[in-house]
Amino acid sequence: MSIAEPLPIRDLQACCAPLTREPIDSAHAESLAKSLKALADPARLRLLSMVAAHADGEACVCDLTDPLGLVQSTVSHHVKVLVDAGYLTVSKRGTWHYYRLVPGALDAVSSLLTTV
Amino acid sequence: MSIAEPLPIRDLQACCAPLTREPIDSAHAESLAKSLKALADPARLRLLSMVAAHADGEACVCDLTDPLGLVQSTVSHHVKVLVDAGYLTVSKRGTWHYYRLVPGALDAVSSLLTTV
DNA sequence: TGTATGAATCGACAGATGTCGATGAAAGGA
DNA sequence: TCCTTTCATCGACATCTGTCGATTCATACA
């Protein structure tokens, strides 16, 4: 992640009250919107869900192309969006790249939306 | 909402486990993505936040144009997106339309993202 | 009836996004 | 050294999206 990138969602949570607690300012609205945009795609939601459900909680791109019904380059693109947004991490072993959920990342964005 | 519209988020919650509990199927991924897309815009996040913070928990379009820095037709567009997605309701009194948060709508989408 | 006000709709447009096929890069094995 | 496999990147394309100005609609009031 370059320095110009949006804050990953966990930093956002560390600083902010839930959306309805008080009016959100432009900068934080921008950050939260980016985090939500990364999530707001059916292929990426299924991808996240598949990674979470996969053996050992990790999966490679090749595990995902068939069940998603998408070409390798497209899956690679979606995975990159989720890594950049802070939802996935990658660990490389040989020619394989294994992706895994970042613990707490989904809970962080979730807690920003709650009203209670 | 026409019959062809996506399920509002509350129905989604009534039927589904959180994203990481088990692999989500295509149809539900599509629904959840639509609900998230409605939220994934800085202007709409600020709009929701302003409505929640406004006196009596409701606001009209004319209350929002100035603080958002957007033209009336644009605000009207964003409001419609949020109403269609089930986050806002409208009550019309004279020429004024007052928008208000749907109780529990944000909590519903939030709970679908939680992993715990 | 006519006018004023708040809001929805329409048409246009630039920019972002999801998808694909083709190519390139890195690592391992014959 | 060469081939294979896994993945990233690139270029192209159609579609979607956010924004605006102009118009239309509905309601209230003079």
Side-chain angles (χ1 to χ4, degrees):
Chain A
M1 191 190 69
S2 93
I3 202 160
E5 285 298 304
L7 289 174
I9 186 62
R10 305 193 68 168
D11 296 334
L12 238 193
Q13 184 199 31
C15 86
C16 295
L19 191 56
T20 57
R21 194 72 53 85
E22 55 187 77
I24 193 176
D25 68 77
S26 292
H28 292 128
E30 204 83 40
S31 285
L32 180 51
K34 281 185 180 171
S35 294
L36 288 169
K37 250 186 236 292
L39 237 39
D41 179 272
R44 290 197 287 272
L45 289 173
R46 295 177 62 206
L47 198 159
L48 275 182
S49 195
M50 287 173 186
V51 169
H54 207 262
D56 297 321
E58 63 180 14
C60 59
V61 170
C62 58
D63 290 325
L64 303 167
T65 51
D66 269 15
L68 282 175
L70 293 172
V71 156
Q72 176 264 323
S73 63
T74 302
V75 174
S76 190
H77 159 71
H78 286 308
V79 157
K80 178 174 163 49
V81 170
L82 290 170
V83 169
D84 287 348
Y87 294 109
L88 290 179
T89 49
V90 57
S91 74
K92 310 184 179 181
R93 301 202 285 278
T95 55
W96 277 265
H97 297 192
Y98 293 95
Y99 295 92
R100 156 182 309 275
L101 277 188
V102 171
L106 282 173
D107 300 304
V109 65
S110 164
S111 72
L112 285 172
L113 298 180
T114 351
T115 57
V116 291
Chain B
M1 189 191 71
S2 93
I3 203 157
E5 285 298 303
L7 289 173
I9 186 63
R10 306 194 66 167
D11 297 333
L12 238 192
Q13 185 200 29
C15 86
C16 297
L19 193 55
T20 57
R21 195 73 53 86
E22 55 187 76
I24 192 176
D25 68 77
S26 292
H28 292 128
E30 203 84 40
S31 286
L32 180 51
K34 281 187 179 171
S35 294
L36 288 170
K37 250 186 233 295
L39 239 38
D41 178 90
R44 289 197 286 271
L45 288 173
R46 294 176 62 208
L47 198 159
L48 275 182
S49 196
M50 286 174 188
V51 168
H54 207 262
D56 297 321
E58 62 179 13
C60 58
V61 169
C62 59
D63 289 325
L64 302 167
T65 51
D66 269 16
L68 283 175
L70 294 172
V71 154
Q72 176 263 324
S73 63
T74 303
V75 175
S76 190
H77 160 71
H78 286 309
V79 157
K80 177 174 165 49
V81 171
L82 291 170
V83 169
D84 286 350
Y87 294 108
L88 289 180
T89 50
V90 56
S91 72
K92 311 185 178 180
R93 301 202 286 278
T95 56
W96 277 265
H97 297 190
Y98 293 96
Y99 293 92
R100 152 181 315 273
L101 278 188
V102 171
L106 283 172
D107 301 305
V109 65
S110 166
S111 73
L112 286 171
L113 299 179
T114 341
T115 58
V116 291

Coordinates of all heavy atoms in Angstrom, one line a residue, chain A residues 12-91:
Chain A
L12 N -9.4 3.6 10.3 CA -10.6 4.4 10.3 C -11.4 4.1 11.6 O -11.9 5.0 12.3 CB -11.5 3.9 9.2 CG -11.9 5.0 8.1 CD1 -13.0 4.4 7.3 CD2 -12.4 6.3 8.8
Q13 N -11.5 2.8 12.0 CA -12.3 2.5 13.1 C -11.7 3.0 14.4 O -12.4 3.5 15.3 CB -12.4 0.9 13.3 CG -13.3 0.6 14.5 CD -13.1 -0.9 14.9 OE1 -12.0 -1.4 14.8 NE2 -14.1 -1.5 15.4
A14 N -10.3 3.0 14.4 CA -9.6 3.5 15.6 C -9.9 4.9 15.9 O -9.8 5.4 17.0 CB -8.1 3.3 15.5
C15 N -10.4 5.7 14.9 CA -10.5 7.1 15.0 C -11.9 7.6 15.1 O -12.2 8.7 15.6 CB -9.8 7.9 13.9 SG -10.8 8.1 12.5
C16 N -12.9 6.7 14.7 CA -14.2 7.3 14.4 C -15.3 6.6 15.1 O -15.3 5.4 15.4 CB -14.5 7.2 12.9 SG -13.3 8.2 11.9
A17 N -16.3 7.4 15.4 CA -17.6 6.9 15.9 C -18.4 6.4 14.8 O -18.2 6.7 13.7 CB -18.3 8.0 16.6
P18 N -19.4 5.5 15.2 CA -20.3 5.0 14.1 C -21.0 6.1 13.4 O -21.2 7.2 13.9 CB -21.3 4.2 14.9 CG -20.6 3.7 16.1 CD -19.6 4.8 16.4
L19 N -21.4 5.8 12.2 CA -22.0 6.7 11.2 C -23.1 7.6 11.7 O -23.1 8.8 11.4 CB -22.5 5.9 10.0 CG -22.9 6.6 8.8 CD1 -21.8 7.4 8.2 CD2 -23.4 5.5 7.8
T20 N -23.9 7.0 12.6 CA -25.1 7.8 13.0 C -24.9 8.5 14.4 O -25.8 9.2 14.8 CB -26.3 6.9 13.1 OG1 -26.0 5.8 14.0 CG2 -26.7 6.3 11.8
R21 N -23.7 8.3 15.0 CA -23.5 8.9 16.3 C -23.3 10.4 16.1 O -23.9 11.2 16.9 CB -22.2 8.3 16.9 CG -22.0 8.5 18.4 CD -23.0 7.7 19.2 NE -23.0 6.3 18.9 CZ -22.2 5.4 19.5 NH1 -21.3 5.8 20.3 NH2 -22.2 4.2 19.1
E22 N -22.6 10.8 15.1 CA -22.4 12.2 14.9 C -22.1 12.4 13.4 O -21.7 11.4 12.7 CB -21.3 12.8 15.7 CG -20.0 12.0 15.5 CD -18.9 12.5 16.5 OE1 -18.9 12.1 17.7 OE2 -18.0 13.3 16.1
P23 N -22.3 13.6 12.8 CA -22.1 13.8 11.4 C -20.7 13.5 11.0 O -19.7 13.9 11.6 CB -22.4 15.3 11.2 CG -23.2 15.7 12.3 CD -22.8 14.8 13.5
I24 N -20.5 12.7 10.0 CA -19.2 12.3 9.5 C -18.6 13.4 8.6 O -19.4 14.0 7.9 CB -19.3 10.9 8.8 CG1 -18.0 10.3 8.6 CG2 -20.0 11.1 7.5 CD1 -18.1 8.9 7.9
D25 N -17.3 13.6 8.7 CA -16.8 14.6 7.8 C -16.3 14.1 6.5 O -16.2 12.8 6.3 CB -15.6 15.4 8.5 CG -14.4 14.5 8.7 OD1 -13.7 14.2 7.7 OD2 -14.2 14.0 9.8
S26 N -16.1 15.0 5.6 CA -15.8 14.6 4.2 C -14.7 13.5 4.1 O -14.8 12.5 3.3 CB -15.4 15.8 3.3 OG -16.6 16.6 3.2
A27 N -13.6 13.8 4.7 CA -12.4 12.9 4.6 C -12.7 11.5 5.1 O -12.4 10.5 4.4 CB -11.2 13.5 5.4
H28 N -13.4 11.4 6.2 CA -13.7 10.0 6.7 C -14.8 9.4 5.8 O -14.8 8.2 5.7 CB -14.2 10.1 8.2 CG -13.1 10.5 9.1 ND1 -13.2 11.5 10.0 CD2 -11.8 10.0 9.2 CE1 -12.0 11.6 10.7 NE2 -11.2 10.7 10.2
A29 N -15.7 10.2 5.3 CA -16.7 9.6 4.4 C -16.0 9.0 3.2 O -16.4 7.9 2.7 CB -17.7 10.7 4.0
E30 N -15.0 9.7 2.7 CA -14.3 9.2 1.6 C -13.6 7.9 1.9 O -13.6 7.0 1.1 CB -13.2 10.3 1.2 CG -12.7 10.3 -0.2 CD -13.6 11.0 -1.2 OE1 -14.1 12.1 -0.8 OE2 -13.9 10.5 -2.3
S31 N -13.0 7.8 3.0 CA -12.3 6.6 3.4 C -13.2 5.4 3.6 O -13.0 4.3 3.1 CB -11.5 6.8 4.7 OG -10.4 7.6 4.5
L32 N -14.3 5.7 4.3 CA -15.3 4.6 4.5 C -15.9 4.2 3.2 O -16.1 3.0 3.0 CB -16.3 5.1 5.5 CG -17.4 4.1 5.9 CD1 -16.9 2.7 6.3 CD2 -18.4 4.7 6.9
A33 N -16.2 5.1 2.3 CA -16.7 4.8 1.0 C -15.8 3.9 0.2 O -16.2 2.9 -0.4 CB -17.1 6.0 0.2
K34 N -14.5 4.2 0.3 CA -13.5 3.3 -0.4 C -13.5 1.9 0.2 O -13.5 0.9 -0.6 CB -12.1 3.9 -0.3 CG -12.0 5.0 -1.4 CD -10.5 5.6 -1.4 CE -10.4 6.7 -2.4 NZ -9.2 7.4 -2.4
S35 N -13.6 1.8 1.5 CA -13.6 0.5 2.1 C -14.9 -0.3 1.7 O -14.8 -1.5 1.5 CB -13.5 0.6 3.6 OG -12.3 1.1 4.0
L36 N -16.0 0.4 1.6 CA -17.2 -0.2 1.3 C -17.3 -0.6 -0.2 O -17.8 -1.6 -0.6 CB -18.4 0.7 1.6 CG -18.7 0.8 3.1 CD1 -19.7 1.9 3.4 CD2 -19.2 -0.5 3.7
K37 N -16.7 0.3 -1.0 CA -16.7 0.0 -2.5 C -15.9 -1.3 -2.8 O -16.3 -2.1 -3.6 CB -16.0 1.2 -3.2 CG -16.9 2.0 -4.1 CD -16.1 3.0 -4.9 CE -16.6 4.4 -4.6 NZ -18.0 4.7 -5.2
A38 N -14.8 -1.5 -2.0 CA -14.1 -2.7 -2.2 C -14.9 -4.0 -1.9 O -14.7 -5.0 -2.5 CB -12.8 -2.7 -1.3
L39 N -15.9 -3.8 -1.0 CA -16.7 -4.9 -0.6 C -18.0 -5.0 -1.5 O -18.6 -6.1 -1.6 CB -17.2 -4.6 0.8 CG -16.9 -5.6 1.9 CD1 -15.6 -6.3 1.8 CD2 -17.1 -5.0 3.3
A40 N -18.3 -4.0 -2.2 CA -19.6 -3.9 -2.9 C -19.6 -4.5 -4.3 O -20.0 -3.8 -5.2 CB -20.1 -2.4 -2.9
D41 N -19.2 -5.7 -4.4 CA -19.2 -6.4 -5.7 C -19.4 -7.9 -5.4 O -18.8 -8.5 -4.5 CB -17.8 -6.2 -6.4 CG -17.8 -7.0 -7.7 OD1 -17.4 -8.2 -7.7 OD2 -18.1 -6.4 -8.7
P42 N -20.4 -8.5 -6.1 CA -20.8 -9.8 -5.8 C -19.6 -10.8 -5.9 O -19.4 -11.7 -5.1 CB -21.8 -10.2 -6.9 CG -21.9 -9.0 -7.8 CD -21.2 -7.8 -7.2
A43 N -18.7 -10.6 -6.9 CA -17.6 -11.5 -7.1 C -16.7 -11.4 -5.9 O -16.2 -12.4 -5.4 CB -16.9 -11.2 -8.4
R44 N -16.5 -10.2 -5.4 CA -15.5 -10.1 -4.3 C -16.1 -10.6 -3.0 O -15.4 -11.1 -2.1 CB -15.1 -8.6 -4.2 CG -14.2 -8.2 -5.3 CD -13.5 -6.9 -5.0 NE -14.3 -5.7 -5.0 CZ -14.5 -5.0 -6.1 NH1 -13.9 -5.3 -7.3 NH2 -15.2 -3.9 -6.1
L45 N -17.4 -10.4 -2.8 CA -18.1 -11.0 -1.6 C -18.0 -12.5 -1.6 O -17.7 -13.1 -0.6 CB -19.6 -10.6 -1.6 CG -19.8 -9.1 -1.2 CD1 -21.3 -8.8 -1.4 CD2 -19.4 -8.8 0.2
R46 N -18.2 -13.1 -2.8 CA -18.1 -14.6 -2.8 C -16.7 -15.0 -2.6 O -16.4 -16.0 -2.0 CB -18.6 -15.1 -4.2 CG -20.1 -14.8 -4.4 CD -20.6 -15.3 -5.7 NE -20.4 -16.7 -6.0 CZ -20.2 -17.3 -7.1 NH1 -20.2 -16.5 -8.2 NH2 -20.1 -18.5 -7.3
L47 N -15.8 -14.2 -3.2 CA -14.3 -14.5 -3.0 C -13.9 -14.5 -1.6 O -13.3 -15.5 -1.1 CB -13.6 -13.5 -3.8 CG -12.1 -13.7 -4.2 CD1 -11.7 -12.8 -5.4 CD2 -11.2 -13.5 -3.0
L48 N -14.3 -13.5 -0.9 CA -14.0 -13.4 0.6 C -14.6 -14.6 1.3 O -13.9 -15.2 2.1 CB -14.6 -12.1 1.2 CG -13.8 -10.8 1.1 CD1 -14.6 -9.7 1.8 CD2 -12.5 -11.0 1.7
S49 N -15.8 -14.9 1.0 CA -16.5 -16.0 1.6 C -15.9 -17.3 1.4 O -15.7 -18.1 2.3 CB -18.0 -16.0 1.1 OG -18.8 -16.8 1.9
M50 N -15.4 -17.5 0.1 CA -14.7 -18.7 -0.2 C -13.4 -18.9 0.5 O -13.0 -20.0 0.9 CB -14.5 -18.8 -1.7 CG -15.8 -19.0 -2.5 SD -15.5 -18.9 -4.3 CE -17.1 -19.1 -4.9
V51 N -12.7 -17.8 0.6 CA -11.4 -17.8 1.3 C -11.6 -18.2 2.7 O -10.9 -19.1 3.3 CB -10.6 -16.5 1.2 CG1 -9.4 -16.5 2.1 CG2 -10.2 -16.2 -0.3
A52 N -12.6 -17.6 3.3 CA -12.9 -17.9 4.7 C -13.2 -19.4 5.0 O -12.9 -20.0 6.0 CB -14.0 -17.0 5.3
A53 N -14.0 -19.9 4.0 CA -14.5 -21.3 4.1 C -13.5 -22.3 3.7 O -13.7 -23.5 3.9 CB -15.8 -21.4 3.4
H54 N -12.4 -21.9 3.0 CA -11.5 -22.9 2.4 C -10.6 -23.5 3.5 O -10.5 -23.0 4.6 CB -10.6 -22.1 1.4 CG -10.0 -23.0 0.4 ND1 -8.8 -23.6 0.4 CD2 -10.6 -23.4 -0.8 CE1 -8.6 -24.4 -0.7 NE2 -9.7 -24.3 -1.4
A55 N -10.1 -24.7 3.2 CA -9.3 -25.4 4.1 C -8.1 -24.5 4.7 O -7.5 -23.8 3.9 CB -8.7 -26.7 3.4
D56 N -8.0 -24.6 6.0 CA -6.9 -23.8 6.7 C -7.2 -22.3 6.5 O -6.3 -21.5 6.9 CB -5.5 -24.1 6.2 CG -5.1 -25.5 6.4 OD1 -5.5 -26.0 7.5 OD2 -4.5 -26.2 5.6
G57 N -8.4 -21.9 6.0 CA -8.7 -20.4 6.0 C -7.9 -19.7 4.9 O -7.8 -18.5 5.0
E58 N -7.3 -20.4 4.0 CA -6.5 -19.7 3.0 C -6.8 -20.4 1.6 O -7.1 -21.6 1.6 CB -5.0 -19.7 3.3 CG -4.3 -21.0 3.4 CD -2.9 -20.9 3.7 OE1 -2.4 -19.8 4.1 OE2 -2.2 -21.9 3.5
A59 N -6.6 -19.6 0.5 CA -6.8 -20.2 -0.8 C -5.9 -19.4 -1.8 O -5.5 -18.3 -1.5 CB -8.3 -20.0 -1.2
C60 N -5.6 -20.1 -2.9 CA -4.9 -19.4 -4.0 C -5.8 -19.0 -5.1 O -7.0 -19.4 -5.1 CB -3.8 -20.3 -4.5 SG -4.4 -21.9 -5.2
V61 N -5.4 -18.2 -6.0 CA -6.2 -17.7 -7.1 C -6.8 -18.9 -7.9 O -8.0 -18.9 -8.3 CB -5.4 -16.8 -8.1 CG1 -6.2 -16.5 -9.3 CG2 -5.1 -15.5 -7.4
C62 N -6.0 -19.9 -8.1 CA -6.4 -21.1 -8.9 C -7.5 -21.8 -8.2 O -8.3 -22.5 -8.8 CB -5.2 -22.0 -9.2 SG -4.4 -22.6 -7.7
D63 N -7.7 -21.7 -6.9 CA -8.8 -22.4 -6.2 C -10.1 -21.6 -6.4 O -11.2 -22.2 -6.2 CB -8.6 -22.3 -4.6 CG -7.4 -23.3 -4.2 OD1 -7.3 -24.3 -4.8 OD2 -6.7 -22.9 -3.2
L64 N -10.0 -20.4 -6.9 CA -11.2 -19.5 -6.9 C -11.8 -19.3 -8.3 O -12.9 -19.0 -8.4 CB -10.8 -18.2 -6.3 CG -10.3 -18.2 -4.9 CD1 -9.7 -16.9 -4.5 CD2 -11.4 -18.6 -3.9
T65 N -10.9 -19.5 -9.3 CA -11.4 -19.2 -10.7 C -12.6 -20.0 -11.1 O -13.6 -19.5 -11.5 CB -10.3 -19.4 -11.7 OG1 -9.7 -20.7 -11.5 CG2 -9.2 -18.3 -11.6
D66 N -12.5 -21.3 -10.9 CA -13.6 -22.2 -11.3 C -14.9 -21.9 -10.5 O -15.9 -21.7 -11.1 CB -13.2 -23.7 -11.1 CG -12.6 -24.2 -12.4 OD1 -12.3 -23.4 -13.3 OD2 -12.5 -25.5 -12.5
P67 N -14.9 -21.9 -9.2 CA -16.1 -21.7 -8.5 C -16.7 -20.3 -8.8 O -17.9 -20.1 -8.7 CB -15.8 -21.8 -7.0 CG -14.3 -22.0 -6.9 CD -13.8 -22.4 -8.3
L68 N -15.9 -19.3 -9.0 CA -16.4 -18.0 -9.3 C -16.9 -17.9 -10.8 O -17.7 -17.0 -11.1 CB -15.3 -16.9 -9.1 CG -15.0 -16.5 -7.6 CD1 -13.9 -15.6 -7.5 CD2 -16.3 -15.9 -7.0
G69 N -16.4 -18.7 -11.6 CA -16.7 -18.6 -13.0 C -16.1 -17.5 -13.7 O -16.6 -16.9 -14.6
L70 N -14.9 -17.1 -13.2 CA -14.2 -15.9 -13.8 C -12.8 -16.3 -14.2 O -12.2 -17.3 -13.7 CB -14.1 -14.8 -12.8 CG -15.4 -14.1 -12.4 CD1 -15.2 -13.2 -11.2 CD2 -16.0 -13.4 -13.6
V71 N -12.3 -15.6 -15.2 CA -10.9 -15.9 -15.7 C -9.9 -15.5 -14.7 O -10.1 -14.7 -13.8 CB -10.8 -15.1 -17.0 CG1 -9.4 -14.8 -17.4 CG2 -11.5 -15.8 -18.2
Q72 N -8.7 -16.1 -14.8 CA -7.6 -15.9 -13.8 C -7.3 -14.4 -13.6 O -7.1 -13.9 -12.5 CB -6.4 -16.7 -14.2 CG -5.2 -16.4 -13.4 CD -4.2 -15.4 -14.0 OE1 -4.1 -15.3 -15.2 NE2 -3.6 -14.6 -13.1
S73 N -7.2 -13.7 -14.7 CA -6.8 -12.3 -14.6 C -7.9 -11.5 -13.9 O -7.5 -10.5 -13.2 CB -6.5 -11.7 -16.0 OG -7.7 -11.7 -16.8
T74 N -9.1 -11.8 -14.1 CA -10.2 -11.1 -13.4 C -10.1 -11.4 -11.9 O -10.3 -10.5 -11.1 CB -11.5 -11.5 -14.0 OG1 -11.5 -11.2 -15.4 CG2 -12.7 -10.7 -13.3
V75 N -9.9 -12.7 -11.5 CA -9.9 -13.0 -10.1 C -8.7 -12.3 -9.5 O -8.8 -11.8 -8.4 CB -9.7 -14.5 -9.9 CG1 -9.5 -14.9 -8.5 CG2 -11.0 -15.2 -10.5
S76 N -7.6 -12.3 -10.2 CA -6.4 -11.6 -9.7 C -6.7 -10.1 -9.4 O -6.2 -9.6 -8.4 CB -5.2 -11.8 -10.7 OG -4.0 -11.3 -10.2
H77 N -7.4 -9.5 -10.3 CA -7.8 -8.1 -10.1 C -8.6 -8.0 -8.9 O -8.3 -7.1 -8.1 CB -8.6 -7.7 -11.4 CG -9.4 -6.5 -11.1 ND1 -8.9 -5.2 -10.9 CD2 -10.8 -6.3 -11.0 CE1 -9.9 -4.3 -10.7 NE2 -11.0 -5.0 -10.8
H78 N -9.6 -8.8 -8.7 CA -10.5 -8.7 -7.5 C -9.7 -8.9 -6.2 O -9.9 -8.2 -5.2 CB -11.6 -9.7 -7.6 CG -12.7 -9.3 -8.6 ND1 -13.3 -8.1 -8.6 CD2 -13.3 -10.0 -9.6 CE1 -14.2 -8.0 -9.5 NE2 -14.2 -9.1 -10.2
V79 N -8.8 -9.9 -6.2 CA -8.0 -10.2 -5.1 C -7.1 -8.9 -4.7 O -7.0 -8.6 -3.5 CB -7.1 -11.4 -5.3 CG1 -5.9 -11.4 -4.5 CG2 -7.9 -12.7 -5.2
K80 N -6.6 -8.3 -5.7 CA -5.8 -7.1 -5.5 C -6.6 -6.0 -4.8 O -6.1 -5.3 -3.9 CB -5.2 -6.6 -6.8 CG -4.3 -5.4 -6.7 CD -3.7 -5.0 -8.0 CE -3.2 -3.6 -8.1 NZ -2.4 -3.2 -6.9
V81 N -7.8 -5.8 -5.3 CA -8.7 -4.8 -4.7 C -8.9 -5.1 -3.2 O -8.8 -4.2 -2.4 CB -10.1 -4.7 -5.4 CG1 -11.0 -3.9 -4.7 CG2 -9.9 -4.3 -6.8
L82 N -9.1 -6.3 -2.9 CA -9.3 -6.7 -1.5 C -8.1 -6.6 -0.6 O -8.1 -6.2 0.6 CB -9.9 -8.1 -1.4 CG -11.4 -8.2 -1.9 CD1 -11.8 -9.7 -2.1 CD2 -12.3 -7.4 -1.1
V83 N -6.9 -6.9 -1.2 CA -5.7 -6.8 -0.5 C -5.4 -5.3 -0.2 O -5.1 -4.9 0.9 CB -4.5 -7.4 -1.2 CG1 -3.2 -7.0 -0.6 CG2 -4.7 -8.9 -1.3
D84 N -5.6 -4.4 -1.3 CA -5.3 -3.0 -1.1 C -6.2 -2.4 -0.1 O -5.9 -1.4 0.6 CB -5.5 -2.3 -2.5 CG -4.4 -2.6 -3.4 OD1 -3.4 -3.1 -3.0 OD2 -4.5 -2.3 -4.6
A85 N -7.5 -2.9 0.0 CA -8.4 -2.3 1.0 C -8.2 -2.9 2.4 O -8.8 -2.4 3.3 CB -9.8 -2.6 0.5
G86 N -7.3 -3.9 2.5 CA -7.0 -4.4 3.8 C -7.8 -5.5 4.3 O -7.8 -5.9 5.5
Y87 N -8.6 -6.2 3.4 CA -9.4 -7.3 3.8 C -8.7 -8.7 3.7 O -9.0 -9.6 4.4 CB -10.7 -7.4 3.0 CG -11.6 -6.2 3.2 CD1 -11.7 -5.2 2.2 CD2 -12.3 -6.1 4.4 CE1 -12.6 -4.1 2.4 CE2 -13.1 -5.0 4.6 CZ -13.3 -4.0 3.6 OH -14.1 -3.0 3.8
L88 N -7.6 -8.7 2.8 CA -6.9 -10.0 2.6 C -5.4 -9.7 2.8 O -4.9 -8.6 2.5 CB -7.2 -10.5 1.2 CG -8.6 -11.1 0.9 CD1 -8.6 -11.5 -0.6 CD2 -8.9 -12.2 1.8
T89 N -4.7 -10.8 3.2 CA -3.2 -10.7 3.1 C -2.8 -11.9 2.3 O -3.5 -12.9 2.1 CB -2.6 -10.9 4.5 OG1 -3.2 -12.1 5.2 CG2 -2.8 -9.7 5.4
V90 N -1.6 -11.8 1.8 CA -1.0 -12.8 0.9 C 0.3 -13.4 1.5 O 1.0 -12.6 2.1 CB -0.8 -12.3 -0.5 CG1 0.1 -11.1 -0.5 CG2 -0.2 -13.4 -1.4
S91 N 0.4 -14.7 1.4 CA 1.7 -15.3 1.8 C 2.2 -16.2 0.6 O 1.4 -17.0 0.2 CB 1.6 -16.1 3.1 OG 0.9 -17.3 2.9

